[in-house]
């Protein structure tokens, strides 16, 4: 069954994928976290990758496995309660762009497209999520697949994409299915070119294992695709195991990049998430070339203590 919502096609069932994902009653809500330091890293890489794909004339696909609501109000009670945007996007958007690394440019363009710069708290009130960032950089003939299991969140996403996706723009499908199942069902895509972004909430105890198994299967089915995989670094051993499993899954000709940023100085600890990780498989060259500059800049600009920069590292995925 499907229905039209402006430029968006909303498919309630597709590909024979059953709904086996997170319980919609789970308490994760990205409204609390939108625009935080982790979003800056993954969304800068996302915007740069989609822009790079759009440089060639052939169409491409973007698959967003855990899409979220698509647009977030940074002056909503949830965002104000967490205060995470103050340590993230407000530290970027409220300052001149003169010293920004190249990878920030695409994210800033997406911000400009959804906001008038007249927020009451900072110069921004709205922050775009990954499906909207992708859609804004896509063209007619390209295709966006966004999976979201939580009904109220998916309804918000449908409204956002119907109202704000470019027209004419990409073909858009919003799916009511588990993102890992959608990833399996959609690969390899007919376009052959494209990106999958995998950004789970990490509230399930076995999420790292589910993610690794899904990616091992995805790489086997579509080794030529680009992937961006986000993860929180709360347990170093879990992050290390994920990197090693994905590195072992890569064919010899496929490159993998692992990037991590902590907003704390080396040796410091604090409650909550203070380190974010991103794995890029078949990374677009702007991401490969610019990630170190982005992380170094963010380690200073987004540090929890402005007088004590955070730390970061970039390395190839281990293959042993």
């Amino acid at each position: 069954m499907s229905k039209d919502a402006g430029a968006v096609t909303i498919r309630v069932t597709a590909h024979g994928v059953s709904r086996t994902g997170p319980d919609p009653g789970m308490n994760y809500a990205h409204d609390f976290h939108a625009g935080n330091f982790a979003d800056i890293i993954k969304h800068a890489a996302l915007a740069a990758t989609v822009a790079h794909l759009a440089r060639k004339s052939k169409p491409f696909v973007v698959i967003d496995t855990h899409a979220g609501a698509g647009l977030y109000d940074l002056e909503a009670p949830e965002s104000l309660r967490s205060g995470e945007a103050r340590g993230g996007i407000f530290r970027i958007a409220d300052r001149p762009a003169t010293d920004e690394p190249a990878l920030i440019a695409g994210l800033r363009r997406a911000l400009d497209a959804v906001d008038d710069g007249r927020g009451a708290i900072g110069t921004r009130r709205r922050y775009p999520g990954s499906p909207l960032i992708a859609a804004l950089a896509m063209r007619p003939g390209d295709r966006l697949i966004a999976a979201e299991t939580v009904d109220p969140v998916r309804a918000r996403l449908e409204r956002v994409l119907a109202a704000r996706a470019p027209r004419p723009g990409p073909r858009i499908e919003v799916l009511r299915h588990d993102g890992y199942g959608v990833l399996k069902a959609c690969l390899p895509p007919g376009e052959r070119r494209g990106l999958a972004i995998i950004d789970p909430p990490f509230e399930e105890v076995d999420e790292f294992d589910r993610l690794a198994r899904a990616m091992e299967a995805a790489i086997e089915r579509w080794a030529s695709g680009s992937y961006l995989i986000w993860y929180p670094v709360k347990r170093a051993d879990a992050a290390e195991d994920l990197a090693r499993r994905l590195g072992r899954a890569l064919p010899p000709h496929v490159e993998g990049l692992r990037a991590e940023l902590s907003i704390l100085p080396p040796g410091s600890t604090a409650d909550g998430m203070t380190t974010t990780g991103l794995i890029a498989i078949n990374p677009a060259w702007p991401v490969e070339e610019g990630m170190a500059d982005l992380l170094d800049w963010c380690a200073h600009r987004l540090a929890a203590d402005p007088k004590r920069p955070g730390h970061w590292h970039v390395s190839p995925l281990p293959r042993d």
Side-chain angles (χ1 to χ4, degrees), residues 139-271:
R139 313 154 303 179
D142 299 331
R143 184 164 58 117
L144 172 63
I145 300 171
E148 176 53 55
T149 63
V150 182
D151 291 340
V153 177
R154 190 180 62 260
R156 284 172 57 188
L157 176 61
E158 293 165 2
R159 293 193 297 269
V160 164
L161 291 175
R164 293 183 175 269
R167 300 184 186 184
R171 294 174 292 142
I172 299 176
E173 298 172 85
V174 178
L175 305 182
R176 183 180 181 263
H177 292 307
D178 167 53
Y180 295 130
V182 168
L183 188 65
K184 180 179 179 180
C186 291
L187 301 185
E191 294 88 348
R192 311 304 296 181
R193 302 176 63 236
L195 166 71
I197 178 168
I198 302 94
D199 179 14
F202 284 92
E203 288 209 335
E204 299 284 359
V205 295
D206 64 342
E207 194 72 69
F208 274 95
D209 181 61
R210 292 187 69 209
L211 172 56
R213 285 187 284 111
M215 283 305 308
E216 288 165 347
I219 293 166
E220 184 175 359
R221 295 170 66 90
W222 191 37
S224 62
S226 292
Y227 299 86
L228 291 174
I229 304 107
W230 175 81
Y231 58 94
V233 185
K234 295 183 179 180
R235 288 177 43 220
D237 60 335
E240 188 67 29
D241 180 65
L242 175 66
R244 291 191 177 280
R245 288 179 65 175
L246 297 194
R248 287 195 296 266
L250 298 183
H253 64 283
V254 174
E255 296 183 356
L257 183 74
R258 177 187 181 187
E260 292 186 358
L261 168 72
S262 173
I263 57 175
L264 299 178
S268 300
T269 60
D271 293 334

Side-chain angles (χ1 to χ4, degrees), residues 17 54 98 104-105 166 168 318:
V17 181
T98 53
I104 289 290

Side-chain angles (χ1 to χ4, degrees), residues 41 259-261 291-300 312-314:
I41 302 300
E260 292 186 358
L261 168 72
M291 183 57 70
D293 286 343
L294 173 66
L295 295 180
D296 188 64
W297 184 79
C298 287
H300 290 79
W312 58 273
H313 72 83
V314 177

Side-chain angles (χ1 to χ4, degrees), residues 109-157:
R109 284 194 295 271
L111 289 168
D112 291 342
V114 302
D115 212 334
D116 59 10
R118 298 178 183 177
I121 298 172
T123 58
R124 301 289 172 176
R125 172 161 186 166
R126 295 177 181 85
Y127 185 84
S130 53
L132 183 55
I133 291 172
L136 289 169
M138 298 174 76
R139 313 154 303 179
D142 299 331
R143 184 164 58 117
L144 172 63
I145 300 171
E148 176 53 55
T149 63
V150 182
D151 291 340
V153 177
R154 190 180 62 260
R156 284 172 57 188
L157 176 61

Side-chain angles (χ1 to χ4, degrees), residues 3 13 24 42 56-57 60 64 73-74 88 121-122 160 182 188 217 224 227 241 243 258 305:
K3 61 180 180 178
T13 59
K42 63 188 173 187
K56 292 186 177 181
S57 59
F60 62 90
D64 193 333
D73 183 354
L74 300 181
I121 298 172
V160 164
V182 168
S224 62
Y227 299 86
D241 180 65
R258 177 187 181 187
D305 180 350

